[in-house]
Amino acid sequence: MNHRTIRDDTGTAAVLPAGFSAVELLDDDVVATVTAIADRDGREAVLTLAKAPAPDQARTAFRRWAKGLLDISGGPHVARMIAADITPDGRPFLIVESGPVLADHLDEHGPFSVRSTRDLGIAIADALAAAHSVDIPHGALQPATILLPNDRPALAGFGMNAPGLAVAAAVDAYTPPEDLPAALAGRIVAGLAGDVYRLGVTLYVLLGGELPWQQALFDLAARSVALPEIPGVAAELVALLRAATTADPLARPSAAQLRDWLAGIVMIPSTARPAPSRVSCSRAAESARSDDAERHCLARPVSGRGQRRAPSPGPRLRVCRPCPRPSRCRISRRCSPRRQPPPVGCRSSPSWRSPSSR
């Protein structure tokens, strides 16, 4: 692996685990810096380090949060936490293993089969259930925060809502309707029911479904529309995803219930599914000439901290950088999000969003 040397004036070197070295600065915002690191064997991880000392109360909350994450990080479907602590000068930091992400797989191979989607849903719902059992909401679940190490899904990105590292995220296709007002006001919000909603949207996207609100991200009425049927996908599975994404958070199943419901679906061979049309998002993002291209560029809601790569929604939601404001992403080297929203009147893709997944 070729490591690109980066200038370190943030204290990153002082918190690197033994055998690890910095590879690349992934993001740098007002809250924290995020650095890709790797050991001599090529094992990858992401280091998120706060820029400013945290107040005593925030330090206590961070340690409590880190202990809860440590308790579940040994599970089969939660990305392994390597370290989490407070620097001598009071700055929280988090180091989590990284690797290939679901968003890239979706971009390269298109929608998943029904069986693969169900199996991934069971795994990630199980990870959410474990996190919720220790009172840790995720708040940033989407294809960018799901790792695929050895083709075994693992949930990462918890750090986006960690005390002392949390950052407000703009609205995107995965934002639960109950969180829209807070997100629009720039407030940090995460909840258990919201996590279930995000997983439901993610699974629907993996199946190639087209979200009713993907062209109207700020429209609460659009987000209240039931998810449409998907050709070739059993109505039972779509009905389950509708329950997970209902506008009423109190009516959604818990993560554990969603896991059990998915596990209870009997897989029956269905008719062949039509291949989704392809749109080159790289060309669409550069030229911004096609409304159809913008509509399909929801795939990778340029997003947050955590992994080396990033996400996707829609029929065959493609990877793209809708907003022409390049910067490093906390999830991916080629995606760009922890930044301020475009100014009023910006004509870049409506899927643009600021960071949301560490």
Side-chain angles (χ1 to χ4, degrees):
M1 173 180 293
N2 294 320
H3 291 184
R4 184 166 67 85
T5 302
I6 59 175
R7 186 170 64 88
D8 180 29
D9 54 5
T10 63
T12 297
V15 297
L16 285 174
F20 277 81
S21 60
V23 176
E24 182 177 6
L25 181 66
L26 296 180
D27 199 21
D28 183 359
D29 61 27
V30 296
V31 177
T33 57
V34 179
T35 306
I37 63 176
D39 64 12
R40 298 181 186 89
D41 296 325
R43 187 166 57 122
E44 301 176 343
V46 170
L47 162 63
T48 305
L49 173 63
K51 286 188 170 181
D56 290 342
Q57 186 175 4
R59 296 184 201 183
T60 300
F62 177 79
R63 287 192 172 101
R64 185 184 309 115
W65 176 91
K67 183 183 182 304
L69 185 59
L70 179 62
D71 289 343
I72 65 170
S73 70
H77 302 298
V78 178
R80 189 172 77 87
M81 185 178 78
I82 296 174
D85 207 344
I86 307 291
T87 64
D89 61 351
R91 295 182 295 158
F93 70 89
L94 173 68
I95 303 175
V96 179
E97 279 191 337
S98 182
V101 296
L102 174 60
D104 290 332
H105 190 284
L106 183 61
D107 176 58
E108 294 167 9
H109 302 287
F112 278 33
S113 68
V114 173
R115 182 181 296 277
S116 295
T117 300
R118 185 202 65 164
D119 292 346
L120 183 142
I122 293 171
I124 300 304
D126 186 64
L128 278 182
H132 294 175
S133 72
V134 293
D135 199 28
I136 294 181
H138 190 284
L141 194 157
Q142 55 184 267
T145 57
I146 297 175
L147 303 181
L148 294 176
N150 302 316
D151 294 325
R152 290 175 57 90
L155 184 59
F158 286 95
M160 279 297 295
N161 286 289
L165 297 175
V167 64
V171 172
D172 65 21
Y174 303 92
T175 304
E178 67 270 19
D179 291 348
L180 280 177
L184 289 171
R187 296 197 302 271
I188 298 169
V189 60
L192 309 189
D195 286 346
V196 171
Y197 178 93
R198 285 177 171 275
L199 178 55
V201 173
T202 296
L203 297 179
Y204 189 79
V205 165
L206 291 185
L207 289 168
E210 185 167 359
L211 301 172
W213 56 87
Q214 64 184 41
Q215 295 184 69
L217 298 182
F218 306 101
D219 189 345
L220 275 172
R223 289 178 183 263
S224 299
V225 175
L227 296 175
E229 297 288 341
I230 303 173
V233 176
E236 180 185 6
L237 178 54
V238 176
L240 193 160
L241 299 183
R242 285 175 182 153
T245 57
T246 182
D248 181 2
L250 297 179
R252 294 173 201 150
S254 67
Q257 287 174 324
L258 181 58
R259 174 198 62 203
D260 295 343
W261 291 357
L262 286 167
I265 292 179
V266 177
M267 300 305 299
I268 300 175
S270 59
T271 57
R273 300 170 57 193
S277 61
R278 288 180 173 269
V279 174
S280 172
C281 276
S282 58
R283 292 196 301 270
E286 292 171 3
S287 64
R289 289 192 297 263
S290 166
D291 291 338
D292 182 63
E294 277 195 7
R295 180 164 63 253
H296 287 81
C297 275
L298 280 171
R300 188 177 296 265
V302 273
S303 81
R305 299 175 181 161
Q307 280 23 97
R308 298 269 297 279
R309 307 252 182 216
S312 308
R316 159 78 171 95
L317 296 173
R318 337 281 189 245
V319 175
C320 64
R321 255 180 293 204
C323 187
R325 295 184 170 196
S327 80
R328 292 297 181 186
C329 167
R330 308 235 162 167
I331 297 272
S332 167
R333 294 185 181 183
R334 41 183 196 167
C335 187
S336 56
R338 298 204 41 116
R339 58 195 173 197
Q340 295 302 313
V344 175
C346 176
R347 298 184 64 80
S348 57
S349 169
S351 67
W352 186 91
R353 55 175 300 222
S354 9
S356 90
S357 5
R358 273 177 217 167

